[in-house]
Amino acid sequence: MGLAGFEVEVQRENGTGLETEEMTLNMGPQHPSTHGVLRFVVKADGEVMREAVPDVGYLHRSIEKISEKVGYHGFMPYTDRVDYVAAMFCNQGWGMVCEKLAGIEVPKRGEYCRVIAAELNRISSHLLSVGTMILDIGAATPFFHAFREREKINDLLEELCGARLTYNYMRIGGVAWDLPPGFAERSIEFLDYFEPMLEEFNELITYNTIYVARLANVAAIPAEMAINYTLVGPNLRASGVKYDVRRDDPYSVYPELEFDVPVGRGEVGAVGDSFDRYIVRMREMEECCRILRQCFTQIPDGPVIAKVPRKFKPPAGDAYIRVESARGDMGWYAVSDGSEFPYRCKVRTGSFTAMSIVDRISRGLMIADLVAVIASLDIVAPEVDR
C-alpha cells in the first residue's frame, strides 16, 4: 500500500489549530490481499476510510473479442481464463449457450459428467476463497489445511481431464471424455474423508474469537442493498436472499438433485456481514458433497457428447444462458450470424458486479477491514476485466 498524495483539510477547534490530513492511498495493483491485479484508491483520515474506489482494467485481455476470431470450438480453451479459479463453469456456460443457439441436446450422462466436474470445482474454488481469506486476516495454519484438501480435488480433476487449473474439459454437446475407470469410487472416498475435515476446519478457525471479531458486523450488506447492487451467488445469499440459479432457473440435471441453499443468518453479527459471506461458502461445500453423492448414484450409462459438426455453424440468432458459478450467476450471451465464428460474445460475472459495492460498504471502516471485505466478496481479477 503506497502513498499517492495528500489532500489537506484544516480544521480549527476552539482556536487550538488542530490539523488533520486526508490521505490518498493506493491499494494495488500488485497487492497480496487484492487476489489479483486490482487497484483500490483509498481516501482515509488516519486509519478510517472515507472511500475506497475500485480502479479496474489492469488485466483486460479482450477474451470476449477473441471469440470472434477463433470460432465456436476454438474458443472453449479461452473460457478457462475468464475465471481460472472455477474454470469448469466457464466451459459449461460457453457450451450451453452454443447448444442453445443450435438446438443441441446433451446426452444425460454428459450432463451428469458436467455437474460432477462443476461441483468438484466449486469445492476447490471455495477452499481457495476461505483459505486465502483467513490468510489475509492473519492466520496461516488453516490456509494450509484448505490447500491440502484442494490439492486432493486437483488430483481428481487432473485424472478427469489432464489439467489442474484451466481444464478445457467440456465441449459443445457434452464433455470431452467419460469418467475414467474407478473415478466414482475415488471421488466418494475423497468425500468420506472431506466431510469430517470440514468440521475440523470449523473447529480450527470458524468460531475463533479473533477471527469472529475481525468479521462480525463488518461491511454488512442488507438484502435490499444486495439486490440493488445486483450481487449474486454466496454474496447475495449471505444477505439472506435465498436465490440460486441451479434451483430457481434450473439447468442441466440439477432438477433431479436434492440440495439446500444456505443463506446468511447473522449468527455472530449482522445478517450479510463478512462472517456470513464466509460461512455461506463453508456450508455450500457441504451441499456440494451431497450433490456429488447423488450424481455418482444416479449417473446413467450412454454417450457423453452429442454429434456436433467440426465446422460448427449455428443458425443466425442470439442466445443467453445462466450458470451458478462459484461466484454466483454467470451469464453467457452469444450472437450468431450463421458463420463458424461468433458475431458477438458477452459474459456477465459475479466479481464485476461485486466491485461496485466496495466503496459503499467500506466507508467508515478501518483500512485493515478492507482486506477482509475484498476477501469476503471472493473477487477474482480476470472475472472483473475479462
Side-chain angles (χ1 to χ4, degrees), residues 165-218:
L165 190 69
T166 50
Y167 305 110
N168 189 28
Y169 173 56
M170 302 188 193
R171 298 289 185 272
I172 300 171
V175 295
W177 305 280
D178 201 347
L179 304 180
F183 183 83
E185 290 76 14
R186 285 185 290 277
S187 298
I188 292 172
E189 183 180 346
F190 165 75
L191 296 176
D192 292 339
Y193 159 83
F194 178 67
E195 287 173 314
M197 289 304 301
L198 281 174
E199 293 301 319
E200 180 180 304
F201 196 79
N202 283 330
E203 293 175 4
L204 182 65
I205 187 63
T206 296
Y207 298 102
N208 175 281
T209 303
I210 298 174
Y211 191 60
V212 170
R214 287 294 308 274
L215 299 178
N217 297 309
V218 173

Tab-separated table of all heavy atoms in Angstrom, residues 165-218:
chain	number	residue	atom	x	y	z
A	165	LEU	N	-5.950	-26.605	-13.391
A	165	LEU	CA	-6.427	-25.219	-13.243
A	165	LEU	C	-7.300	-24.801	-14.426
A	165	LEU	O	-8.465	-24.466	-14.249
A	165	LEU	CB	-5.248	-24.263	-13.092
A	165	LEU	CG	-5.610	-22.835	-12.705
A	165	LEU	CD1	-6.126	-22.786	-11.267
A	165	LEU	CD2	-4.419	-21.905	-12.851
A	166	THR	N	-6.741	-24.789	-15.619
A	166	THR	CA	-7.507	-24.454	-16.826
A	166	THR	C	-7.848	-25.773	-17.514
A	166	THR	O	-7.025	-26.354	-18.196
A	166	THR	CB	-6.698	-23.525	-17.744
A	166	THR	OG1	-5.383	-24.074	-17.935
A	166	THR	CG2	-6.551	-22.143	-17.122
A	167	TYR	N	-9.090	-26.227	-17.353
A	167	TYR	CA	-9.431	-27.621	-17.593
A	167	TYR	C	-9.711	-27.960	-19.054
A	167	TYR	O	-9.324	-29.010	-19.541
A	167	TYR	CB	-10.653	-27.997	-16.737
A	167	TYR	CG	-10.452	-27.708	-15.277
A	167	TYR	CD1	-11.154	-26.682	-14.634
A	167	TYR	CD2	-9.539	-28.435	-14.529
A	167	TYR	CE1	-10.964	-26.411	-13.296
A	167	TYR	CE2	-9.337	-28.172	-13.186
A	167	TYR	CZ	-10.055	-27.150	-12.565
A	167	TYR	OH	-9.854	-26.887	-11.245
A	168	ASN	N	-10.435	-27.078	-19.749
A	168	ASN	CA	-10.821	-27.373	-21.128
A	168	ASN	C	-11.450	-28.768	-21.224
A	168	ASN	O	-11.149	-29.537	-22.141
A	168	ASN	CB	-9.605	-27.261	-22.069
A	168	ASN	CG	-9.988	-27.333	-23.540
A	168	ASN	OD1	-11.086	-26.959	-23.919
A	168	ASN	ND2	-9.080	-27.833	-24.361
A	169	TYR	N	-12.306	-29.094	-20.274
A	169	TYR	CA	-12.895	-30.434	-20.217
A	169	TYR	C	-14.186	-30.542	-21.021
A	169	TYR	O	-14.457	-31.555	-21.645
A	169	TYR	CB	-13.159	-30.808	-18.755
A	169	TYR	CG	-13.911	-32.108	-18.569
A	169	TYR	CD1	-13.424	-33.294	-19.110
A	169	TYR	CD2	-15.100	-32.142	-17.840
A	169	TYR	CE1	-14.115	-34.495	-18.930
A	169	TYR	CE2	-15.788	-33.330	-17.660
A	169	TYR	CZ	-15.289	-34.510	-18.203
A	169	TYR	OH	-15.968	-35.682	-18.034
A	170	MET	N	-14.979	-29.493	-21.002
A	170	MET	CA	-16.295	-29.582	-21.651
A	170	MET	C	-16.194	-29.194	-23.123
A	170	MET	O	-15.269	-28.513	-23.547
A	170	MET	CB	-17.296	-28.706	-20.909
A	170	MET	CG	-17.431	-29.095	-19.450
A	170	MET	SD	-18.747	-28.252	-18.594
A	170	MET	CE	-18.329	-28.670	-16.889
A	171	ARG	N	-17.157	-29.664	-23.861
A	171	ARG	CA	-17.235	-29.410	-25.289
A	171	ARG	C	-18.660	-28.991	-25.641
A	171	ARG	O	-19.595	-29.243	-24.870
A	171	ARG	CB	-16.875	-30.661	-26.101
A	171	ARG	CG	-15.455	-31.171	-25.899
A	171	ARG	CD	-14.433	-30.234	-26.540
A	171	ARG	NE	-13.087	-30.782	-26.457
A	171	ARG	CZ	-12.250	-30.598	-25.440
A	171	ARG	NH1	-12.634	-29.862	-24.411
A	171	ARG	NH2	-11.047	-31.122	-25.453
A	172	ILE	N	-18.828	-28.385	-26.800
A	172	ILE	CA	-20.171	-28.122	-27.302
A	172	ILE	C	-20.840	-29.476	-27.539
A	172	ILE	O	-20.348	-30.290	-28.321
A	172	ILE	CB	-20.120	-27.297	-28.599
A	172	ILE	CG1	-19.433	-25.958	-28.355
A	172	ILE	CG2	-21.530	-27.088	-29.150
A	172	ILE	CD1	-19.144	-25.161	-29.618
A	173	GLY	N	-21.905	-29.747	-26.822
A	173	GLY	CA	-22.593	-31.024	-26.959
A	173	GLY	C	-22.340	-31.999	-25.834
A	173	GLY	O	-22.938	-33.074	-25.804
A	174	GLY	N	-21.459	-31.646	-24.876
A	174	GLY	CA	-21.201	-32.560	-23.762
A	174	GLY	C	-19.837	-32.336	-23.147
A	174	GLY	O	-19.448	-31.201	-22.872
A	175	VAL	N	-19.118	-33.417	-22.926
A	175	VAL	CA	-17.775	-33.338	-22.346
A	175	VAL	C	-16.807	-34.115	-23.236
A	175	VAL	O	-17.205	-34.966	-24.035
A	175	VAL	CB	-17.737	-33.906	-20.908
A	175	VAL	CG1	-18.584	-33.058	-19.978
A	175	VAL	CG2	-18.180	-35.366	-20.860
A	176	ALA	N	-15.527	-33.823	-23.079
A	176	ALA	CA	-14.514	-34.415	-23.961
A	176	ALA	C	-14.331	-35.901	-23.716
A	176	ALA	O	-14.125	-36.678	-24.654
A	176	ALA	CB	-13.184	-33.676	-23.781
A	177	TRP	N	-14.373	-36.311	-22.438
A	177	TRP	CA	-14.122	-37.705	-22.090
A	177	TRP	C	-15.079	-38.150	-21.000
A	177	TRP	O	-15.534	-37.357	-20.181
A	177	TRP	CB	-12.688	-37.882	-21.579
A	177	TRP	CG	-11.656	-37.392	-22.516
A	177	TRP	CD1	-11.160	-38.026	-23.614
A	177	TRP	CD2	-10.972	-36.133	-22.454
A	177	TRP	NE1	-10.221	-37.245	-24.242
A	177	TRP	CE2	-10.079	-36.086	-23.552
A	177	TRP	CE3	-11.012	-35.050	-21.584
A	177	TRP	CZ2	-9.257	-34.992	-23.796
A	177	TRP	CZ3	-10.197	-33.967	-21.819
A	177	TRP	CH2	-9.328	-33.939	-22.918
A	178	ASP	N	-15.331	-39.448	-20.970
A	178	ASP	CA	-16.132	-40.036	-19.913
A	178	ASP	C	-15.308	-40.090	-18.626
A	178	ASP	O	-14.088	-39.875	-18.626
A	178	ASP	CB	-16.565	-41.447	-20.322
A	178	ASP	CG	-17.793	-41.931	-19.551
A	178	ASP	OD1	-18.156	-41.277	-18.545
A	178	ASP	OD2	-18.366	-42.953	-19.943
A	179	LEU	N	-15.967	-40.379	-17.518
A	179	LEU	CA	-15.269	-40.556	-16.253
A	179	LEU	C	-14.306	-41.735	-16.382
A	179	LEU	O	-14.685	-42.796	-16.892
A	179	LEU	CB	-16.259	-40.827	-15.121
A	179	LEU	CG	-17.372	-39.805	-14.888
A	179	LEU	CD1	-18.247	-40.254	-13.727
A	179	LEU	CD2	-16.811	-38.418	-14.632
A	180	PRO	N	-13.061	-41.592	-15.942
A	180	PRO	CA	-12.121	-42.717	-16.039
A	180	PRO	C	-12.529	-43.858	-15.118
A	180	PRO	O	-13.281	-43.649	-14.153
A	180	PRO	CB	-10.787	-42.093	-15.612
A	180	PRO	CG	-11.141	-40.881	-14.836
A	180	PRO	CD	-12.442	-40.391	-15.392
A	181	PRO	N	-12.073	-45.088	-15.379
A	181	PRO	CA	-12.423	-46.230	-14.526
A	181	PRO	C	-12.034	-45.978	-13.066
A	181	PRO	O	-10.925	-45.515	-12.784
A	181	PRO	CB	-11.609	-47.381	-15.129
A	181	PRO	CG	-11.371	-46.976	-16.549
A	181	PRO	CD	-11.253	-45.483	-16.531
A	182	GLY	N	-12.964	-46.238	-12.173
A	182	GLY	CA	-12.699	-46.072	-10.751
A	182	GLY	C	-12.811	-44.646	-10.247
A	182	GLY	O	-12.588	-44.389	-9.057
A	183	PHE	N	-13.183	-43.707	-11.123
A	183	PHE	CA	-13.232	-42.306	-10.710
A	183	PHE	C	-14.309	-42.080	-9.653
A	183	PHE	O	-14.093	-41.356	-8.680
A	183	PHE	CB	-13.499	-41.409	-11.925
A	183	PHE	CG	-13.494	-39.940	-11.618
A	183	PHE	CD1	-12.304	-39.232	-11.551
A	183	PHE	CD2	-14.687	-39.245	-11.394
A	183	PHE	CE1	-12.290	-37.873	-11.261
A	183	PHE	CE2	-14.684	-37.900	-11.111
A	183	PHE	CZ	-13.480	-37.207	-11.038
A	184	ALA	N	-15.464	-42.714	-9.829
A	184	ALA	CA	-16.552	-42.543	-8.861
A	184	ALA	C	-16.138	-43.043	-7.487
A	184	ALA	O	-16.375	-42.376	-6.469
A	184	ALA	CB	-17.798	-43.278	-9.343
A	185	GLU	N	-15.501	-44.198	-7.445
A	185	GLU	CA	-15.083	-44.763	-6.159
A	185	GLU	C	-14.044	-43.881	-5.475
A	185	GLU	O	-14.122	-43.643	-4.255
A	185	GLU	CB	-14.509	-46.167	-6.367
A	185	GLU	CG	-15.521	-47.229	-6.765
A	185	GLU	CD	-15.957	-47.128	-8.217
A	185	GLU	OE1	-15.288	-46.399	-8.989
A	185	GLU	OE2	-16.966	-47.772	-8.592
A	186	ARG	N	-13.096	-43.360	-6.235
A	186	ARG	CA	-12.073	-42.494	-5.642
A	186	ARG	C	-12.670	-41.166	-5.189
A	186	ARG	O	-12.238	-40.597	-4.170
A	186	ARG	CB	-10.937	-42.272	-6.646
A	186	ARG	CG	-10.023	-43.481	-6.795
A	186	ARG	CD	-8.840	-43.187	-7.700
A	186	ARG	NE	-9.233	-43.034	-9.100
A	186	ARG	CZ	-9.411	-44.035	-9.946
A	186	ARG	NH1	-9.259	-45.281	-9.542
A	186	ARG	NH2	-9.731	-43.812	-11.207
A	187	SER	N	-13.655	-40.669	-5.921
A	187	SER	CA	-14.312	-39.417	-5.532
A	187	SER	C	-15.117	-39.599	-4.249
A	187	SER	O	-15.086	-38.744	-3.354
A	187	SER	CB	-15.225	-38.920	-6.659
A	187	SER	OG	-14.486	-38.636	-7.827
A	188	ILE	N	-15.837	-40.709	-4.141
A	188	ILE	CA	-16.609	-40.974	-2.927
A	188	ILE	C	-15.676	-41.170	-1.738
A	188	ILE	O	-15.967	-40.721	-0.621
A	188	ILE	CB	-17.522	-42.202	-3.147
A	188	ILE	CG1	-18.618	-41.857	-4.163
A	188	ILE	CG2	-18.144	-42.654	-1.826
A	188	ILE	CD1	-19.458	-43.024	-4.607
A	189	GLU	N	-14.554	-41.811	-1.977
A	189	GLU	CA	-13.554	-41.956	-0.913
A	189	GLU	C	-13.071	-40.591	-0.434
A	189	GLU	O	-12.896	-40.363	0.772
A	189	GLU	CB	-12.382	-42.789	-1.436
A	189	GLU	CG	-11.305	-43.082	-0.406
A	189	GLU	CD	-10.164	-43.904	-0.975
A	189	GLU	OE1	-10.324	-44.475	-2.079
A	189	GLU	OE2	-9.100	-43.955	-0.324
A	190	PHE	N	-12.875	-39.680	-1.396
A	190	PHE	CA	-12.491	-38.314	-1.005
A	190	PHE	C	-13.595	-37.639	-0.200
A	190	PHE	O	-13.315	-36.982	0.814
A	190	PHE	CB	-12.175	-37.478	-2.244
A	190	PHE	CG	-12.117	-36.001	-1.964
A	190	PHE	CD1	-11.032	-35.438	-1.308
A	190	PHE	CD2	-13.179	-35.158	-2.328
A	190	PHE	CE1	-10.984	-34.085	-1.021
A	190	PHE	CE2	-13.138	-33.810	-2.045
A	190	PHE	CZ	-12.043	-33.267	-1.386
A	191	LEU	N	-14.859	-37.787	-0.617
A	191	LEU	CA	-15.970	-37.166	0.102
A	191	LEU	C	-16.077	-37.715	1.524
A	191	LEU	O	-16.349	-36.963	2.467
A	191	LEU	CB	-17.275	-37.390	-0.654
A	191	LEU	CG	-17.384	-36.753	-2.047
A	191	LEU	CD1	-18.695	-37.140	-2.705
A	191	LEU	CD2	-17.245	-35.244	-1.985
A	192	ASP	N	-15.863	-39.024	1.679
A	192	ASP	CA	-15.897	-39.625	3.016
A	192	ASP	C	-14.827	-39.007	3.915
A	192	ASP	O	-15.018	-38.872	5.127
A	192	ASP	CB	-15.675	-41.140	2.920
A	192	ASP	CG	-16.838	-41.853	2.259
A	192	ASP	OD1	-17.944	-41.277	2.232
A	192	ASP	OD2	-16.636	-42.986	1.762
A	193	TYR	N	-13.710	-38.648	3.319
A	193	TYR	CA	-12.618	-38.018	4.066
A	193	TYR	C	-12.866	-36.532	4.284
A	193	TYR	O	-12.585	-35.984	5.355
A	193	TYR	CB	-11.306	-38.236	3.291
A	193	TYR	CG	-10.206	-37.267	3.643
A	193	TYR	CD1	-9.392	-37.472	4.756
A	193	TYR	CD2	-9.977	-36.145	2.846
A	193	TYR	CE1	-8.382	-36.575	5.068
A	193	TYR	CE2	-8.968	-35.248	3.148
A	193	TYR	CZ	-8.175	-35.467	4.266
A	193	TYR	OH	-7.186	-34.571	4.571
A	194	PHE	N	-13.434	-35.876	3.261
A	194	PHE	CA	-13.519	-34.418	3.274
A	194	PHE	C	-14.600	-33.891	4.212
A	194	PHE	O	-14.398	-32.869	4.880
A	194	PHE	CB	-13.775	-33.913	1.846
A	194	PHE	CG	-13.921	-32.421	1.728
A	194	PHE	CD1	-12.839	-31.594	1.978
A	194	PHE	CD2	-15.130	-31.849	1.366
A	194	PHE	CE1	-12.958	-30.213	1.868
A	194	PHE	CE2	-15.259	-30.477	1.249
A	194	PHE	CZ	-14.170	-29.654	1.506
A	195	GLU	N	-15.731	-34.538	4.260
A	195	GLU	CA	-16.830	-34.025	5.091
A	195	GLU	C	-16.443	-33.904	6.570
A	195	GLU	O	-16.706	-32.863	7.189
A	195	GLU	CB	-18.077	-34.897	4.898
A	195	GLU	CG	-18.722	-34.667	3.535
A	195	GLU	CD	-19.843	-35.629	3.234
A	195	GLU	OE1	-19.650	-36.838	3.467
A	195	GLU	OE2	-20.906	-35.188	2.762
A	196	PRO	N	-15.802	-34.894	7.188
A	196	PRO	CA	-15.326	-34.690	8.568
A	196	PRO	C	-14.261	-33.598	8.675
A	196	PRO	O	-14.163	-32.916	9.700
A	196	PRO	CB	-14.747	-36.060	8.952
A	196	PRO	CG	-15.403	-37.028	8.030
A	196	PRO	CD	-15.611	-36.284	6.756
A	197	MET	N	-13.477	-33.413	7.583
A	197	MET	CA	-12.447	-32.371	7.615
A	197	MET	C	-13.061	-30.980	7.659
A	197	MET	O	-12.465	-30.048	8.216
A	197	MET	CB	-11.535	-32.501	6.393
A	197	MET	CG	-10.611	-33.698	6.429
A	197	MET	SD	-9.575	-33.741	7.906
A	197	MET	CE	-8.708	-32.199	7.776
A	198	LEU	N	-14.251	-30.810	7.090
A	198	LEU	CA	-14.933	-29.519	7.182
A	198	LEU	C	-15.239	-29.187	8.643
A	198	LEU	O	-15.102	-28.030	9.069
A	198	LEU	CB	-16.222	-29.534	6.357
A	198	LEU	CG	-16.074	-29.345	4.850
A	198	LEU	CD1	-17.418	-29.533	4.163
A	198	LEU	CD2	-15.503	-27.974	4.515
A	199	GLU	N	-15.665	-30.193	9.408
A	199	GLU	CA	-15.924	-29.975	10.831
A	199	GLU	C	-14.638	-29.618	11.561
A	199	GLU	O	-14.620	-28.739	12.431
A	199	GLU	CB	-16.569	-31.216	11.442
A	199	GLU	CG	-17.974	-31.501	10.931
A	199	GLU	CD	-18.918	-30.336	11.195
A	199	GLU	OE1	-18.852	-29.734	12.289
A	199	GLU	OE2	-19.713	-30.002	10.289
A	200	GLU	N	-13.555	-30.294	11.204
A	200	GLU	CA	-12.263	-29.988	11.824
A	200	GLU	C	-11.833	-28.560	11.486
A	200	GLU	O	-11.287	-27.842	12.323
A	200	GLU	CB	-11.215	-30.990	11.348
A	200	GLU	CG	-9.829	-30.758	11.932
A	200	GLU	CD	-8.816	-31.766	11.436
A	200	GLU	OE1	-9.069	-32.975	11.614
A	200	GLU	OE2	-7.790	-31.350	10.867
A	201	PHE	N	-12.097	-28.143	10.238
A	201	PHE	CA	-11.758	-26.793	9.799
A	201	PHE	C	-12.545	-25.762	10.602
A	201	PHE	O	-12.005	-24.722	11.011
A	201	PHE	CB	-12.057	-26.656	8.301
A	201	PHE	CG	-11.412	-25.467	7.647
A	201	PHE	CD1	-10.074	-25.505	7.286
A	201	PHE	CD2	-12.129	-24.308	7.381
A	201	PHE	CE1	-9.472	-24.424	6.673
A	201	PHE	CE2	-11.537	-23.221	6.774
A	201	PHE	CZ	-10.204	-23.279	6.419
A	202	ASN	N	-13.832	-26.043	10.835
A	202	ASN	CA	-14.652	-25.137	11.649
A	202	ASN	C	-14.102	-25.018	13.060
A	202	ASN	O	-14.052	-23.924	13.641
A	202	ASN	CB	-16.103	-25.630	11.689
A	202	ASN	CG	-16.854	-25.316	10.405
A	202	ASN	OD1	-16.567	-24.338	9.731
A	202	ASN	ND2	-17.818	-26.158	10.062
A	203	GLU	N	-13.688	-26.135	13.636
A	203	GLU	CA	-13.127	-26.107	14.991
A	203	GLU	C	-11.812	-25.347	15.029
A	203	GLU	O	-11.477	-24.710	16.020
A	203	GLU	CB	-12.922	-27.536	15.484
A	203	GLU	CG	-14.217	-28.305	15.710
A	203	GLU	CD	-13.974	-29.763	16.074
A	203	GLU	OE1	-12.788	-30.136	16.229
A	203	GLU	OE2	-14.956	-30.513	16.198
A	204	LEU	N	-11.089	-25.402	13.925
A	204	LEU	CA	-9.773	-24.768	13.873
A	204	LEU	C	-9.860	-23.243	13.786
A	204	LEU	O	-9.084	-22.534	14.428
A	204	LEU	CB	-8.992	-25.320	12.673
A	204	LEU	CG	-7.560	-24.821	12.459
A	204	LEU	CD1	-6.676	-25.263	13.618
A	204	LEU	CD2	-7.012	-25.368	11.143
A	205	ILE	N	-10.831	-22.719	13.006
A	205	ILE	CA	-10.816	-21.277	12.739
A	205	ILE	C	-12.178	-20.603	12.770
A	205	ILE	O	-12.284	-19.454	13.193
A	205	ILE	CB	-10.138	-20.992	11.364
A	205	ILE	CG1	-9.940	-19.478	11.136
A	205	ILE	CG2	-10.942	-21.624	10.239
A	205	ILE	CD1	-9.026	-18.815	12.105
A	206	THR	N	-13.246	-21.270	12.339
A	206	THR	CA	-14.504	-20.580	12.050
A	206	THR	C	-15.005	-19.765	13.228
A	206	THR	O	-15.439	-18.620	13.070
A	206	THR	CB	-15.580	-21.585	11.605
A	206	THR	OG1	-15.155	-22.191	10.375
A	206	THR	CG2	-16.917	-20.895	11.378
A	207	TYR	N	-14.976	-20.329	14.423
A	207	TYR	CA	-15.501	-19.611	15.591
A	207	TYR	C	-14.384	-19.142	16.519
A	207	TYR	O	-14.610	-18.885	17.696
A	207	TYR	CB	-16.519	-20.488	16.326
A	207	TYR	CG	-17.712	-20.814	15.455
A	207	TYR	CD1	-17.829	-22.061	14.845
A	207	TYR	CD2	-18.692	-19.859	15.187
A	207	TYR	CE1	-18.906	-22.348	14.018
A	207	TYR	CE2	-19.766	-20.137	14.352
A	207	TYR	CZ	-19.861	-21.390	13.774
A	207	TYR	OH	-20.929	-21.663	12.952
A	208	ASN	N	-13.173	-19.028	15.951
A	208	ASN	CA	-12.055	-18.460	16.695
A	208	ASN	C	-12.384	-17.016	17.091
A	208	ASN	O	-12.904	-16.239	16.286
A	208	ASN	CB	-10.799	-18.503	15.819
A	208	ASN	CG	-9.603	-17.839	16.453
A	208	ASN	OD1	-9.492	-16.612	16.442
A	208	ASN	ND2	-8.705	-18.644	16.993
A	209	THR	N	-12.100	-16.662	18.321
A	209	THR	CA	-12.504	-15.356	18.856
A	209	THR	C	-11.961	-14.198	18.021
A	209	THR	O	-12.691	-13.246	17.705
A	209	THR	CB	-12.030	-15.214	20.315
A	209	THR	OG1	-12.566	-16.291	21.084
A	209	THR	CG2	-12.486	-13.887	20.899
A	210	ILE	N	-10.700	-14.276	17.649
A	210	ILE	CA	-10.094	-13.189	16.882
A	210	ILE	C	-10.699	-13.133	15.478
A	210	ILE	O	-11.015	-12.050	14.956
A	210	ILE	CB	-8.571	-13.367	16.796
A	210	ILE	CG1	-7.949	-13.313	18.198
A	210	ILE	CG2	-7.944	-12.301	15.901
A	210	ILE	CD1	-6.469	-13.632	18.226
A	211	TYR	N	-10.901	-14.292	14.882
A	211	TYR	CA	-11.448	-14.349	13.533
A	211	TYR	C	-12.866	-13.769	13.499
A	211	TYR	O	-13.207	-12.967	12.621
A	211	TYR	CB	-11.444	-15.796	13.053
A	211	TYR	CG	-11.737	-15.967	11.576
A	211	TYR	CD1	-10.925	-15.380	10.609
A	211	TYR	CD2	-12.806	-16.744	11.146
A	211	TYR	CE1	-11.174	-15.547	9.261
A	211	TYR	CE2	-13.065	-16.923	9.799
A	211	TYR	CZ	-12.247	-16.320	8.859
A	211	TYR	OH	-12.505	-16.487	7.521
A	212	VAL	N	-13.673	-14.154	14.472
A	212	VAL	CA	-15.034	-13.629	14.542
A	212	VAL	C	-15.020	-12.124	14.754
A	212	VAL	O	-15.790	-11.375	14.133
A	212	VAL	CB	-15.827	-14.343	15.666
A	212	VAL	CG1	-17.151	-13.638	15.910
A	212	VAL	CG2	-16.062	-15.806	15.310
A	213	ALA	N	-14.125	-11.652	15.611
A	213	ALA	CA	-14.046	-10.207	15.885
A	213	ALA	C	-13.669	-9.415	14.640
A	213	ALA	O	-14.121	-8.277	14.453
A	213	ALA	CB	-13.042	-9.941	17.000
A	214	ARG	N	-12.858	-10.024	13.759
A	214	ARG	CA	-12.441	-9.333	12.538
A	214	ARG	C	-13.535	-9.295	11.480
A	214	ARG	O	-13.480	-8.470	10.554
A	214	ARG	CB	-11.199	-10.013	11.941
A	214	ARG	CG	-9.911	-9.781	12.702
A	214	ARG	CD	-9.454	-8.328	12.659
A	214	ARG	NE	-9.386	-7.792	11.313
A	214	ARG	CZ	-8.341	-7.897	10.507
A	214	ARG	NH1	-7.273	-8.542	10.916
A	214	ARG	NH2	-8.360	-7.359	9.304
A	215	LEU	N	-14.531	-10.202	11.587
A	215	LEU	CA	-15.531	-10.328	10.528
A	215	LEU	C	-16.942	-9.948	10.940
A	215	LEU	O	-17.718	-9.455	10.118
A	215	LEU	CB	-15.546	-11.779	9.998
A	215	LEU	CG	-14.247	-12.307	9.380
A	215	LEU	CD1	-14.431	-13.752	8.966
A	215	LEU	CD2	-13.811	-11.455	8.205
A	216	ALA	N	-17.311	-10.197	12.196
A	216	ALA	CA	-18.688	-9.942	12.624
A	216	ALA	C	-19.012	-8.457	12.552
A	216	ALA	O	-18.217	-7.603	12.983
A	216	ALA	CB	-18.892	-10.454	14.047
A	217	ASN	N	-20.166	-8.137	11.991
A	217	ASN	CA	-20.659	-6.753	11.855
A	217	ASN	C	-19.795	-5.884	10.948
A	217	ASN	O	-19.970	-4.661	10.920
A	217	ASN	CB	-20.794	-6.089	13.229
A	217	ASN	CG	-21.819	-6.776	14.101
A	217	ASN	OD1	-22.952	-6.999	13.675
A	217	ASN	ND2	-21.422	-7.139	15.315
A	218	VAL	N	-18.874	-6.468	10.201
A	218	VAL	CA	-18.010	-5.708	9.293
A	218	VAL	C	-18.612	-5.750	7.892
A	218	VAL	O	-18.826	-6.815	7.317
A	218	VAL	CB	-16.578	-6.280	9.271
A	218	VAL	CG1	-15.742	-5.586	8.195
A	218	VAL	CG2	-15.930	-6.113	10.639
